[in-house]
Amino acid sequence: MGSTEKYYITTPIYYPSDRLHIGHAYTTTIADSLARWHRFTGKDVLFLTGSDEHGQKIERAAASLGIRPKEYVDKIVGTFKDLWQKYNISYDDFVRTTDERHHRVVQEVFRRIYDKGDIYKGEYEGWYCTPCEAFWVENKLEDGNCPDCGRQVELIKEESYFFRLSKYADRLLQHIEEHPEFIQPESRRNEMVNFIKSGLEDLCVSRTTFDWGIPVPIDDQHVIYVWFDALTNYLTGAGFLQDDIAFTKYWPADLHLVGKEIIRFHTIIWPITLMALDLPLPKTIFGHGWLLFDHDKMSKSKGNVVDPVELANEYGVDAVRHFLLREISFGQDGNFSHRALIERINADLANDLGNLLHRSVAMIIRYRDGVIPQPHGLTDLERDLQQLAGSTAKDVGRTMDDLEVNAAISAIWRLIARANKYVDEAEPWVLNKTEQNDRLDTVLYHLAETLRIITLLIKSFLPETGEKMWVQLGIRKELDSCCLEDIAWGGLEPGTKVVKSDPIFPRIDLEEVLTKSQEGSHEVEEKQQVGGNEMDQAKTVGKPQISIEDFAKLDLRVAEITAAEPVSGADRLLKLQVTIGTEKRQIVAGIAQHYDPESLVGKHIVVVANLKPAKLRGELSEGMLLAASTTDSLGLITIDRDLPSGAQVK
Ligand code: ME8
C-alpha cells in the first residue's frame, strides 16, 4: 500500500490584477504537460495552481474601479479558471489566497515562526515596489528604480514585523551547494548564490498602511506581507495542517515552476520559511525564461500583450500549446510572433503530423477497407522504425525528467519525420499496384502502430490532438486509461477499424493572415534583382537564350496538392486539386505512371500559374506543374523549405 511514487508540481499563483496573458499560459501549459506526463508514467500527481489575491497592488486596482477588493478578485479569478479550462489545464487544486483554509495556514505559519523567535517587531524605513510587491534597500536600486521591473519605487516608513532571513543564510548556501538540482537552470543558481553571498537583510513580513491582507495573528494592526502569504499556498495545497495523510505523501514539492523574475522569492524567502518551520525543502525550483513579443518584453503599457483566449479561438488550443512547448528552449527567453506560430502550425502540425495521420488512415481505408492488417515479415525499414519508436519513448522520459520539455517534443517529431520517410521509402501505392499483399499489410500495420505510439507520447502535450488521433485509429481502449507500458511495440490489435475524418490541422495561409494583421504590414515583399553580369554568363543547354524579360513572363508559384485522382479512361493522367495562396485550381498532369494519387496529397510543388487554361480528356486544366523527367523516370519539382502555397518562384 502507498507504494505509488508521487509527483507534486506547482505554478506561481498569479495576481488577479489583470487578465492573464500568453506568458502565464506558457508557464501553466508546461506545468500541465509535466503533470500529465508523470500521471502517464504511473505517478500519483498533485498539480497545483491558484491566485495571489492580497496586497497593495490588488487593493489599488480595485479602488481605481471603485469596488471592494474581494468583489474585484472574484471576477478576475473566474477568468483564470475559464482560461485554464480552455487550455485543458489538468490542475488538481486551485488555491485562492482568500480561501479560509489558506488564511488559517498562513496565520499558523506566522505564529510558529514568531514563537520560535525568528520573527520580531521593528520599524521599516526603505523602498517598496508595488507592482513587484518587493522591498528594496537603497543600494540595490537601479537609477533609483526597482532593479527587477524598472518602475518607480515608493519610500515607506512603518512599524513592521521582521523575519530573520540573515540567520539562515549559511544553511541555505550549504543546501544549494549540496543539492545542485535545487535551483535550475544553473545560471539562475549562480545568480542566487551571489545574491545570498552579498548579504541577506531581515525581511519585512507585515504592513500597516493598508488592510487588504491576512491579519498578523498576534497583532491585528498589521497584515501579513503578500509574498509571505503567497508562498505559503504551496503548503496549503498539499494539505498542511488540514490533511496529514496528504501532506505526508505530497510534501516536499518536486517542482516549483516559476518565471525567472520571481526566482529570488522562491529560492530565498521560501526555503528559509520552511527551515524555520523545520519542514523539508522542495526538490527543485526552476526559473524559466520570458516569452517576448517580437523580441520585446510584453507589457500592458506597450500594448503588446498577447491574449491567450483570442489566440486559441483563432488557431486552436493545441496549436498554441504546441508553439509554447516546442518553440522555446526551456529556461531561455523565447519569442512569440504570429508568423512563427503559423509557421509551426503549418510545418509541424499540418504537414508532418497531420499528413502522416491523414494519408496513413486514407491508405488503410483504400487498400484494406479500413481494417488494420496483420503484419508479416519485417525488413530493415520496419526494424529501424520499431527501434526508433522504442528509443523515442525513452528519450521523452529522460528529457521530461531533465525538464527539457522542448527536447521531448523534438524527439516525438523525429519519430513523426521518420514515419513520413518510411511511407516514401516503402511506397505502399506501388505495393498495392504490384499486389505485394503481405508486404503492404506489414507497411500499413507499421504506420498505424507508429501512429498509436505517437498518440500515446503526444497526449501529455497536446491532449485534444491525442484524442482526435485515437478516434481515427479506432482503438477501443480509453486513451485516458493508457499508461507508459502501453507504449511497447505491438500493442495495436490487427483487425482494428480506422475512422476517416477531416485533417486535424488544416494549413493556414500565412500571407493572408499576416497581411490582415498589423504585423503583416511590416512585411515588405523582397524583390530579388538578378545582376546582368551573372545572366550574361548563363549557358543554355538545348534551347536558345532568353532574356530576363522573357523569363519574367512566367508566373511560377508554389502550389499545395489537396486532392488527387485518376482521370477515367486516361492511364497517364492524374487530376489534381491544388491551392495557390487562397485560390483553388484544378490541374491535369501526365504523371499517373510515376505517382500514386495518395502519395501526392500535401506536397508543395511548382506550377506555371499563368498558362492559358486547356481541356485534357474533357477535364479543365488551369496551369501546369513542373517536373524533371527522363524517358523512364519523372520527379516533381518540390520546395525544400516550408514555404506557403502561393509563394512566387523566381
Ligand atoms: O509574480 N513569459 O504573479 P504574476 C513567461 N503572484 N512567463 C510569464 C510571462 C512572460 N512574458 N509573464 C508572466 C506573481 N509569466 C506572483 C507569484 S507565487 C507564490 C506568487 C508567468 O501574475 C511566469 O511564471 O505576476 C511568472 O513568474 C508569473 O507568470 C508571474 O505572474
Side-chain angles (χ1 to χ4, degrees):
M1 229 187 71
S3 63
T4 314
E5 208 181 325
K6 64 89 187 176
Y7 186 76
Y8 179 25
I9 176 171
T10 67
T11 72
I13 51 170
Y14 305 111
Y15 289 126
S17 49
D18 210 337
R19 282 171 172 272
L20 297 182
H21 61 64
I22 193 69
H24 302 103
Y26 173 62
T27 313
T28 314
T29 301
I30 291 167
D32 180 62
S33 300
L34 284 161
R36 286 175 182 271
W37 174 260
H38 285 285
R39 282 189 204 110
F40 180 65
T41 65
K43 289 191 190 143
D44 179 346
V45 171
L46 174 60
F47 171 21
L48 185 73
T49 189
S51 49
D52 185 0
E53 305 184 15
H54 292 124
Q56 200 160 13
K57 173 154 78 170
I58 303 287
E59 193 183 67
R60 285 185 185 167
S64 71
L65 296 175
I67 56 176
R68 301 203 43 80
K70 184 65 170 53
E71 192 187 336
Y72 173 79
V73 292
D74 281 350
K75 277 205 189 106
I76 299 200
V77 170
T79 68
F80 285 17
K81 292 188 174 172
D82 292 346
L83 177 64
W84 300 149
Q85 192 177 11
K86 189 167 193 81
Y87 271 70
N88 292 307
I89 303 301
S90 61
Y91 61 83
D92 298 296
D93 198 356
F94 189 107
V95 172
R96 294 185 59 173
T97 54
T98 50
D99 286 344
E100 171 56 28
R101 58 174 174 158
H102 178 69
H103 190 115
R104 283 200 304 112
V105 172
V106 173
Q107 286 200 326
E108 182 57 22
V109 165
F110 193 101
R111 192 192 308 272
R112 286 188 186 185
I113 300 178
Y114 177 80
D115 287 348
K116 199 174 174 185
D118 284 342
I119 288 180
Y120 62 93
K121 201 169 182 176
E123 189 175 29
Y124 179 77
E125 185 173 357
W127 300 95
Y128 194 75
C129 173
T130 306
C132 295
E133 299 280 16
F135 296 96
W136 290 106
V137 288
E138 179 107 21
N139 66 10
K140 289 256 163 54
L141 299 180
E142 280 173 13
D143 299 329
N145 293 325
C146 170
D148 273 356
C149 73
R151 282 176 281 200
Q152 228 178 0
V153 286
E154 298 165 51
L155 188 61
I156 57 172
K157 183 173 179 199
E158 57 192 59
E159 186 187 78
S160 271
Y161 285 89
F162 286 84
F163 181 18
R164 290 185 208 282
L165 294 192
S166 50
K167 175 179 156 187
Y168 292 90
D170 289 344
R171 237 177 98 184
L172 180 58
L173 276 174
Q174 191 186 345
H175 184 85
I176 296 172
E177 256 162 46
E178 286 170 3
H179 299 86
E181 73 292 353
F182 180 58
I183 304 177
Q184 291 186 45
E186 200 181 333
S187 56
R188 314 242 192 277
R189 176 165 70 242
N190 299 338
E191 260 171 54
M192 286 305 107
V193 167
N194 291 337
F195 190 94
I196 301 164
K197 283 187 174 161
S198 76
L200 290 186
E201 306 276 334
D202 287 351
L203 175 76
C204 245
V205 284
S206 76
R207 303 284 314 267
T208 53
T209 47
F210 65 93
D211 58 12
W212 179 236
I214 298 175
V216 167
I218 45 154
D219 186 343
D220 62 9
Q221 296 304 301
H222 290 247
V223 291
I224 293 175
Y225 171 45
V226 63
W227 269 101
F228 190 92
D229 164 354
L231 289 162
T232 308
N233 93 88
Y234 302 132
L235 288 179
T236 306
F240 185 54
L241 304 177
Q242 310 139 75
D243 181 344
D244 288 348
I245 295 176
F247 188 68
T248 313
K249 169 155 207 182
Y250 292 115
W251 194 259
D254 293 83
L255 177 64
H256 293 314
L257 187 62
V258 300
K260 64 181 179 183
E261 82 291 358
I262 57 172
I263 193 115
R264 195 167 50 87
F265 299 91
H266 283 80
T267 57
I268 297 176
I269 304 177
W270 182 227
I272 292 181
T273 307
L274 293 166
M275 284 175 180
L277 291 169
D278 292 318
L279 288 172
L281 306 192
K283 283 189 198 136
T284 296
I285 297 146
F286 192 102
H288 65 66
W290 281 333
L291 190 59
L292 307 171
F293 181 81
D294 278 343
H295 304 283
D296 198 2
K297 200 171 168 193
M298 267 184 237
S299 85
K300 223 175 143 191
S301 54
K302 287 184 193 145
N304 64 356
V305 171
V306 180
D307 180 353
V309 176
E310 276 174 25
L311 220 52
N313 287 344
E314 197 164 340
Y315 300 105
V317 167
D318 275 359
V320 184
R321 282 181 66 119
H322 177 71
F323 176 86
L324 296 174
L325 296 165
R326 167 107 200 239
E327 181 84 5
I328 299 139
S329 233
F330 196 44
Q332 324 240 309
D333 286 351
N335 190 50
F336 174 88
S337 74
H338 286 277
R339 172 181 284 278
L341 170 63
I342 296 171
E343 280 175 352
R344 273 271 167 237
I345 295 174
N346 285 345
D348 294 359
L349 300 175
N351 257 15
D352 298 349
L353 178 63
N355 273 348
L356 177 66
L357 177 71
H358 196 66
R359 60 181 177 160
S360 303
V361 169
M363 286 189 286
I364 293 168
I365 291 174
R366 190 146 161 214
Y367 303 143
R368 291 293 178 265
D369 279 337
V371 179
I372 296 169
Q374 176 87 42
H376 302 281
L378 307 185
T379 70
D380 281 350
L381 280 184
E382 285 74 38
R383 279 187 276 273
D384 189 39
L385 188 63
Q386 287 191 18
Q387 201 246 329
L388 188 67
S391 66
T392 302
K394 288 199 193 87
D395 285 347
V396 172
R398 184 180 43 76
T399 46
M400 290 302 266
D401 286 344
D402 292 347
L403 300 174
E404 291 171 14
V405 183
N406 62 311
I409 306 237
S410 300
I412 301 175
W413 252 261
R414 277 196 296 278
L415 179 59
I416 294 170
R418 183 68 195 86
N420 270 318
K421 195 161 164 241
Y422 173 72
V423 179
D424 296 337
E425 288 167 346
E427 299 185 308
W429 44 92
V430 174
L431 301 176
N432 179 57
K433 204 166 274 174
T434 50
E435 294 180 11
Q436 299 181 55
N437 284 326
D438 281 2
R439 179 92 196 104
L440 181 58
D441 283 350
T442 301
V443 171
L444 295 178
Y445 180 85
H446 274 73
L447 281 175
E449 175 60 345
T450 307
L451 276 164
R452 185 189 70 91
I453 292 170
I454 290 169
T455 308
L456 291 172
L457 289 172
I458 240 175
K459 78 184 189 99
S460 301
F461 308 95
L462 311 179
E464 282 180 15
T465 303
E467 286 296 341
K468 284 183 191 164
M469 293 175 68
W470 206 244
V471 167
Q472 293 204 27
L473 290 172
I475 302 169
R476 291 248 179 77
K477 185 174 177 183
E478 292 264 318
L479 180 57
D480 257 353
S481 69
C482 293
C483 59
L484 193 59
E485 281 87 71
D486 292 306
I487 270 189
W489 186 273
L492 180 61
E493 282 175 34
T496 305
K497 196 147 195 227
V498 300
V499 179
K500 192 174 167 87
S501 310
D502 291 335
I504 48 173
F505 289 104
R507 279 185 75 82
I508 296 171
D509 189 324
L510 179 69
E511 299 308 322
E512 190 187 71
V513 174
L514 291 187
T515 36
K516 264 199 251 151
S517 77
Q518 234 192 347
E519 189 185 351
S521 66
H522 303 304
E523 307 273 347
V524 184
E525 204 182 301
E526 287 169 30
K527 292 253 181 287
Q528 277 185 355
Q529 299 291 334
V530 180
N533 291 344
E534 287 165 45
M535 284 304 288
D536 289 344
Q537 287 159 18
K539 295 269 186 297
T540 54
V541 178
K543 294 183 184 173
Q545 275 191 350
I546 59 165
S547 68
I548 186 74
E549 289 77 24
D550 290 331
F551 178 74
K553 286 183 191 156
L554 293 174
D555 190 6
L556 299 176
R557 298 280 173 166
V558 175
E560 182 183 351
I561 303 177
T562 55
E565 58 179 305
V567 173
S568 57
D571 57 2
R572 298 166 66 88
L573 296 183
L574 287 183
K575 187 165 70 174
L576 312 176
Q577 306 305 321
V578 302
T579 54
I580 306 175
T582 48
E583 213 182 308
K584 291 192 167 62
R585 297 235 191 136
Q586 173 169 293
I587 290 179
V588 179
I591 55 171
Q593 286 172 335
H594 304 279
Y595 286 94
D596 186 278
E598 210 56 68
S599 69
L600 291 170
V601 176
K603 275 200 194 303
H604 281 68
I605 56 168
V606 176
V607 300
V608 186
N610 59 341
L611 193 70
K612 233 175 161 176
K615 278 207 167 168
L616 296 170
R617 292 289 176 106
E619 295 286 355
L620 182 66
S621 185
E622 308 159 282
M624 184 177 85
L625 56 73
L626 297 190
S629 64
T630 58
T631 42
D632 50 11
S633 182
L634 178 144
L636 291 173
I637 309 294
T638 56
I639 303 295
D640 78 348
R641 285 263 156 79
D642 183 50
L643 281 170
S645 80
Q648 219 180 343
V649 180
K650 49 195 176 181

